[in-house]
Amino acid sequence: MPTCVPFLALTLGVTATCYSVRCQEAPIGEPDPLRSSAGAVIEDAEQWRTIRRPEVLELFRSHVYGRAPAGRPLATESREEDLVLRGRAVRKQWSLRYGDGPDDQIHVLAFLPRAASSDAAGSLQPREAPAPVFLALKFQGKHTVHPDPGIRLASCWVRNNQRVGVTKHRATEQTRGSQARRWPVELMISRGYGLVTACYGDIDPDFDDGFENGVHGAVDEAASERAPDAWGAIGAWAWGLSRILDSLAEDPDVDANRVAVLGHSRLGKTALWAGAQDERFWMVVSNNSGCGGAAYSRRRRGETVAVINKNFPHWFCSRFHGYADRESSLPVDQHLLIALCAPRPVYVASAAKDAWADPAGEFFSARGADPVYRLLCDDGLPAEELPAVDAPAHGRIGYHLRSGKHDLLRADWLHYMDFADRHRLR
Ligand code: GTR
């Protein structure tokens, strides 16, 4: 596999001999996407839909992410909208209430390509065509996507960021726009896409608190012991994405049939799980999601099941902890998570210097989903080997290996929008 060797040398800093092992396609023994647990071969789309898909979804709920309560649209509060970006976009903000506590709300921000015109009184008129949007949760609060002073400052728990001076998990005025390099709002608007975002801390603060705060505290029924398949934080964040999608269905400026769910890193794991469960998502994008996201668990490269559960005991259901160093016993692997998105467009992206997320494991897992895509829509991932750096492969499954580190960059967005154009304009 010639492309793998330079990749190894450049990024992982280990020997070529060692890397040729890393380049094995799927790990030995990963579950066959097209064979049911009972051993039956899945031969057509109908059998995938009625037999294998429900079975795989249930296995992920029961063994990996846990089970979320049934979803229902949440009450919308404090809706407001303004014309921004020199008249090229509408900024909308609203909150979705999931509990009675003052913090039990998801505060949503949307930048949408501008309506055709405003009337003589200056009020906005509905768009002629609703816009496709990317929906993505954020670590630091939505006010960090853009310096726009009209964005409400996040009031929830946010991830610390020494570089911008957030040390006590609280947002500050000085962090406005501090993550703008990750969120090219103007570029998205100019290409006809909206951005919808919210802070993941509004849904579930990202620390191990025994599942007391966020939606777990507000929604879970009291029980003396947590079930081994009770939902973790990733399940909660994914649930929140579906609740935001409920509210987008009500918005005349959003094409609710063209909502791409996207996430970076732990939120890339979340985007995949949200897209796998909720088929209303049109497209699913995993950016550098790694272990518990796009990367095969069985490869055991970079972050492993044992390490992730030790460091983040609140992310997955407790049954998943039992697979530490026993990945070969898992009844699923992450190629099946990608396959659950079929036949919708799905995109897996890696970064060359992100060995922790196992870029080759992310790629081969996308390949592992390919047979399901071929069966359902005769289109999958048009690359059999790891593509060269910065050379994307776009079919119904998209993949790129960006040069550089673990991050979400403008270069990634350019590929995501090209991929979205390709599927949207068909
Ligand atoms: C790391 C974690 C990864 C990834 C990343 C992130 O510490 O090991 O699984 O989720 O954090 O979300 O930034």
Side-chain angles (χ1 to χ4, degrees), residues 263-316:
H264 169 58
S265 205
R266 68 197 70 183
L267 294 176
K269 311 179 206 302
T270 303
L272 280 172
W273 180 226
Q277 296 178 90
D278 192 337
E279 294 184 276
R280 295 173 303 166
F281 285 114
W282 163 58
M283 176 175 140
V284 184
V285 184
S286 144
N287 191 81
N288 306 179
S289 61
C291 179
Y296 269 123
S297 300
R298 279 169 171 76
R299 275 173 55 90
R300 297 173 51 85
R301 303 292 173 196
E303 191 170 28
T304 61
V305 171
V307 169
I308 204 167
N309 282 316
K310 180 163 181 293
N311 291 339
F312 307 100
H314 57 296
W315 281 2
F316 301 91

Side-chain angles (χ1 to χ4, degrees), residues 229-356:
D229 64 349
W231 56 335
I234 291 175
W237 299 325
W239 176 92
L241 284 163
S242 285
R243 303 293 69 79
I244 298 173
L245 179 59
D246 297 337
S247 74
L248 294 178
E250 308 288 304
D251 192 320
D253 290 338
V254 172
D255 182 350
N257 296 318
R258 292 281 181 275
V259 177
V261 62
L262 175 146
H264 169 58
S265 205
R266 68 197 70 183
L267 294 176
K269 311 179 206 302
T270 303
L272 280 172
W273 180 226
Q277 296 178 90
D278 192 337
E279 294 184 276
R280 295 173 303 166
F281 285 114
W282 163 58
M283 176 175 140
V284 184
V285 184
S286 144
N287 191 81
N288 306 179
S289 61
C291 179
Y296 269 123
S297 300
R298 279 169 171 76
R299 275 173 55 90
R300 297 173 51 85
R301 303 292 173 196
E303 191 170 28
T304 61
V305 171
V307 169
I308 204 167
N309 282 316
K310 180 163 181 293
N311 291 339
F312 307 100
H314 57 296
W315 281 2
F316 301 91
C317 72
S318 66
R319 185 171 281 131
F320 190 54
H321 296 212
Y323 293 101
D325 301 322
R326 293 181 53 241
E327 288 86 347
S328 57
S329 313
L330 269 165
V332 286
D333 211 319
Q334 301 307 109
H335 62 314
L336 295 177
L337 183 66
I338 300 169
L340 286 174
C341 300
R344 295 163 293 153
V346 67
Y347 203 118
V348 174
S350 311
K353 289 190 179 159
D354 189 13
W356 189 237

Side-chain angles (χ1 to χ4, degrees), residues 66-335:
R67 210 171 292 283
R72 58 176 172 82
L74 302 174
T76 302
E77 296 180 0
S78 56
R79 187 177 271 285
E80 67 178 43
E81 63 182 70
D82 293 283
L83 206 53
V84 293
L85 306 185
R86 293 188 300 282
R88 283 176 294 132
V90 183
R91 183 213 321 110
K92 298 191 181 188
Q93 303 188 78
W94 68 96
S95 305
L96 299 169
R97 180 163 285 287
Y98 56 78
D100 299 330
D103 296 333
D104 294 348
Q105 303 179 62
I106 308 173
H107 300 279
V108 189
L109 165 74
F111 282 101
L112 301 171
R114 188 198 167 165
S117 61
S118 36
D119 66 15
S123 45
L124 296 169
Q125 297 303 299
R127 285 180 55 80
E128 277 167 14
V133 302
F134 286 89
L135 166 59
L137 293 178
K138 294 198 41 23
F139 297 127
Q140 250 92 34
K142 58 198 182 336
H143 64 282
T144 62
V145 300
H146 197 276
D148 176 354
I151 302 176
R152 297 179 198 151
L153 201 66
S155 54
C156 62
W157 181 100
V158 296
R159 213 171 154 190
N160 279 343
N161 184 335
Q162 306 278 356
R163 188 179 57 79
V164 296
V166 176
T167 52
K168 297 195 171 121
H169 297 294
R170 288 292 149 203
T172 59
E173 275 295 333
Q174 82 201 53
T175 57
R176 279 193 186 281
S178 57
Q179 296 286 315
R181 68 187 182 87
R182 281 191 171 169
W183 307 96
V185 175
E186 277 89 349
L187 173 68
M188 295 175 75
I189 296 293
S190 73
R191 290 193 51 169
Y193 290 95
L195 172 67
V196 181
T197 185
C199 182
Y200 77 147
D202 268 343
I203 303 164
D204 191 23
D206 189 4
F207 60 93
D208 182 19
D209 74 328
F211 302 100
E212 288 190 353
N213 59 20
V215 289
H216 292 113
V219 170
D220 281 354
E221 295 191 358
S224 51
E225 218 171 289
R226 245 179 115 67
D229 64 349
W231 56 335
I234 291 175
W237 299 325
W239 176 92
L241 284 163
S242 285
R243 303 293 69 79
I244 298 173
L245 179 59
D246 297 337
S247 74
L248 294 178
E250 308 288 304
D251 192 320
D253 290 338
V254 172
D255 182 350
N257 296 318
R258 292 281 181 275
V259 177
V261 62
L262 175 146
H264 169 58
S265 205
R266 68 197 70 183
L267 294 176
K269 311 179 206 302
T270 303
L272 280 172
W273 180 226
Q277 296 178 90
D278 192 337
E279 294 184 276
R280 295 173 303 166
F281 285 114
W282 163 58
M283 176 175 140
V284 184
V285 184
S286 144
N287 191 81
N288 306 179
S289 61
C291 179
Y296 269 123
S297 300
R298 279 169 171 76
R299 275 173 55 90
R300 297 173 51 85
R301 303 292 173 196
E303 191 170 28
T304 61
V305 171
V307 169
I308 204 167
N309 282 316
K310 180 163 181 293
N311 291 339
F312 307 100
H314 57 296
W315 281 2
F316 301 91
C317 72
S318 66
R319 185 171 281 131
F320 190 54
H321 296 212
Y323 293 101
D325 301 322
R326 293 181 53 241
E327 288 86 347
S328 57
S329 313
L330 269 165
V332 286
D333 211 319
Q334 301 307 109
H335 62 314

